[in-house]
Amino acid sequence: SQKIEQNSEALNIQEGKTATLTCNYTNYSPAYLQWYRQDPGRGPVFLLLIRENEKEKRKERLKVTFDTTLKQSLFHITASQPADSATYLCALSYNTDKLIFGTGTRLQVFP
Amino acid sequence: NAGVTQTPKFQVLKTGQSMTLQCAQDMNHEYMSWYRQDPGMGLRLIHYSVGAGITDQGEVPNGYNVSRSTTEDFPLRLLSAAPSQTSVYFCASTSYNEQFFGPGTRLTVL
């Protein structure tokens, strides 16, 4: 079955730096990959979607890349701020609305 | 729009009790789903529905029932609660591949 790996260790970075989170998957490539943000005690919030034929997608300070050869997606937050501190979830889909989620990586941005 | 709403926010049950977790959305989305989230496990799909009258099982359906009589509502029923069902439950609706999540229900089964 499909397995998604996100770094379970928290990522601590200084304000203003670029945060880079990794999502690796096994087996065949998904039709698209999504990133969500989750704050403590709240439901996940959709951030970005990238399709298998897209290499990169940007939205304001966010950038997602999708490398089907490496079976990896990278999620970048540039000019990070303490308000970006949260857990970020990667999710895959294979031509359906069903998503397979990773366990998430907690990002901590300190002043 | 209220988006996706869930009730209750917190619930404590004793083993063997039954209850229904409520989920409603006002965005007229056809696709809805239920997840549970456990530490170190990520979100796991319990049941989903592609429209009123149609439901299907996800990855971890045992011990849970669902129904979808209207587009708006998608309740999740625990027939006989077990401690293994202690978790945080999220309902979501989907539009154009984007999932909108509710605030969650934290359930503890003693």
Side-chain angles (χ1 to χ4, degrees):
Chain A
S1 61
Q2 182 62 276
K3 190 176 178 183
I4 303 168
E5 293 178 353
Q6 292 187 259
N7 195 342
S8 59
E9 292 183 12
L11 177 63
N12 297 309
I13 65 166
Q14 191 171 23
E15 182 177 10
K17 303 290 186 184
T18 296
T20 299
L21 285 70
T22 304
C23 175
N24 295 300
Y25 59 91
T26 59
N27 301 334
Y28 45 97
S29 289
Y32 56 86
L33 188 149
Q34 299 185 14
W35 284 88
Y36 287 78
R37 169 183 173 142
Q38 186 173 24
D39 292 285
R42 293 179 174 266
V45 174
F46 172 81
L47 296 175
L48 280 169
L49 179 152
I50 186 166
R51 301 188 185 281
E52 62 177 332
N53 60 351
E54 297 175 317
K55 296 290 186 191
E56 182 180 297
K57 189 74 80 71
R58 291 176 185 260
K59 179 182 176 182
E60 298 173 352
R61 294 185 295 113
L62 309 180
K63 184 178 84 170
V64 174
T65 62
F66 193 2
D67 189 325
T68 55
T69 301
L70 293 178
K71 297 187 178 180
Q72 181 182 80
S73 174
L74 298 179
F75 177 78
H76 306 272
I77 304 176
T78 58
S80 59
Q81 305 165 1
D84 295 325
S85 298
T87 296
Y88 291 87
L89 308 175
C90 165
L92 312 183
S93 181
Y94 296 87
N95 285 323
T96 72
D97 284 319
K98 290 170 67 174
L99 289 179
I100 305 170
F101 281 87
T103 55
T105 298
R106 191 162 64 88
L107 172 66
Q108 186 73 35
V109 182
F110 55 91
Chain B
N1 286 352
V4 178
T5 58
Q6 292 183 239
T7 56
K9 284 191 70 69
F10 302 93
Q11 183 70 50
V12 179
L13 292 177
K14 293 181 180 178
T15 297
Q17 288 185 315
S18 63
M19 80 158 295
T20 299
L21 280 63
Q22 301 292 344
C23 174
Q25 52 97 4
D26 61 358
M27 297 173 283
N28 204 33
H29 294 164
E30 293 293 333
Y31 191 98
M32 295 185 72
S33 39
W34 275 102
Y35 295 89
R36 59 178 290 173
Q37 188 173 38
D38 302 291
M41 300 289 290
L43 286 159
R44 292 183 291 168
L45 183 65
I46 304 171
H47 285 285
Y48 65 99
S49 169
V50 299
I54 306 170
T55 63
D56 205 347
Q57 297 180 351
E59 179 186 356
V60 288
N62 292 341
Y64 308 95
N65 276 358
V66 292
S67 61
R68 186 91 181 274
S69 56
T70 67
T71 299
E72 294 78 20
D73 300 300
F74 190 41
L76 178 72
R77 297 184 186 84
L78 282 71
L79 303 176
S80 178
S84 61
Q85 293 179 304
T86 293
S87 186
V88 181
Y89 291 84
F90 289 102
C91 176
S93 71
T94 302
S95 176
Y96 297 105
N97 306 129
E98 177 181 342
Q99 293 209 351
F100 298 81
F101 284 85
T105 295
R106 183 174 294 273
L107 176 67
T108 301
V109 183
L110 303 175

